Amino acid sequence: MKNIYIIGAQSTGKSTLINALESCLEEIANEYSSQRPLVIREVARTVLRENHFRREDIATLPARALQLQRHILAAQYYAETTACPEGASTWYICDRSGLDPIVYAKCFVGDYAAAEMLASEFWQGLEDRMKESIVILCEAGCQWLEDDGVRLMPKDEKEWMRIDAAFRDLLRIRGISFYIISKDMTDLRERVQYVQRHAKSTGK
């Protein structure tokens, strides 16, 4: 089975979808005589807590924001390579990706910061994984934007959509194929079925 990445701007239903997918994708694995998928949870929250970052740092302190995104990229690299070393037969569902911190660096620090991270050994080790996987982008603009006290909240819809556009642009520039879950697809079961269809169509 191919790995699956669920990515996108904040508050687009990624973690909720991951939780719903976990049991359903086990059924797909059984269908293809594959192992149960591992689930790689979002690493950013752990990085924020362990390194004493505040979400406000992202929008107000560019140097601090870049430092945070570097930490997140490194944590993502270690999470993926530990869960599934090169050549392993295991597969995983990933809540976000190595591209996510690069997008936020681009949006809140600048193009130079994104370029630096794209040249890093951590991204070099993750990019091919994404290119060989199923990448699902959850579209911004949905109805459930909610402040959980941890994640950076967009200051307005324009900023939210700017982050969404940055995801699409970087995916295309890097040659990473992706599928979009529309903001109008609000039923969780429909979202799960959408991912299931793509997982089945690429099952191996």
Side-chain angles (χ1 to χ4, degrees):
M1 297 293 297
K2 288 191 174 184
N3 299 325
I4 299 173
Y5 292 87
I6 307 296
I7 67 171
Q10 61 270 55
S11 298
T12 51
K14 298 180 296 295
S15 296
T16 300
L17 177 56
I18 288 278
N19 293 336
L21 278 170
E22 192 170 356
S23 59
C24 297
L25 287 175
E26 185 173 1
E27 298 173 9
I28 298 175
N30 291 337
E31 184 177 336
Y32 288 93
S33 300
S34 178
Q35 294 179 336
R36 175 189 173 93
L38 301 173
V39 177
I40 299 177
R41 304 291 179 186
E42 179 189 3
V43 301
R45 291 173 185 268
T46 302
V47 171
L48 282 162
R49 183 179 64 253
E50 292 183 350
N51 294 277
H52 308 293
F53 286 98
R54 300 174 307 132
R55 63 179 182 174
E56 292 80 8
D57 294 343
I58 301 173
T60 60
L61 300 170
R64 184 80 168 150
L66 179 54
Q67 185 182 25
L68 170 61
Q69 303 309 332
R70 287 173 180 153
H71 278 299
I72 293 173
L73 178 58
Q76 185 70 35
Y77 173 83
Y78 289 121
E80 291 189 40
T81 55
T82 299
C84 186
E86 199 69 36
S89 60
T90 51
W91 63 292
Y92 53 80
I93 311 165
C94 205
D95 189 349
R96 296 162 176 77
S97 72
L99 194 71
D100 294 57
I102 298 173
V103 167
Y104 282 93
K106 176 181 174 66
C107 290
F108 292 98
V109 184
D111 289 340
Y112 77 92
E116 174 198 302
M117 293 177 70
L118 287 168
S120 71
E121 62 178 335
F122 296 120
W123 173 247
Q124 300 301 317
L126 294 175
E127 184 171 22
D128 284 344
R129 287 175 179 252
M130 288 192 74
K131 287 181 176 179
E132 296 168 359
S133 301
I134 300 167
V135 178
I136 305 289
L137 176 69
C138 294
E139 185 177 39
C142 42
Q143 301 173 358
W144 50 74
L145 182 63
E146 184 175 319
D147 190 348
D148 64 1
V150 178
R151 292 172 295 185
L152 176 72
M153 296 298 294
K155 64 182 179 182
D156 52 32
E157 186 169 355
K158 182 178 179 181
E159 182 176 88
W160 202 17
M161 300 312 295
R162 180 170 67 93
I163 296 168
D164 182 270
F167 268 99
R168 298 174 194 237
D169 289 346
L170 272 175
L171 286 164
R172 293 185 180 114
I173 289 169
R174 304 307 296 188
I176 300 171
S177 299
F178 64 100
Y179 304 97
I180 297 173
I181 289 185
S182 169
K183 61 182 175 58
D184 298 319
M185 188 185 292
T186 57
D187 186 279
L188 182 57
R189 288 173 298 179
E190 287 185 39
R191 289 183 163 223
V192 168
Q193 290 167 1
Y194 181 87
V195 178
Q196 282 181 307
R197 285 197 298 273
H198 289 296
K200 287 182 177 180
S201 69
T202 57
K204 56 183 180 179

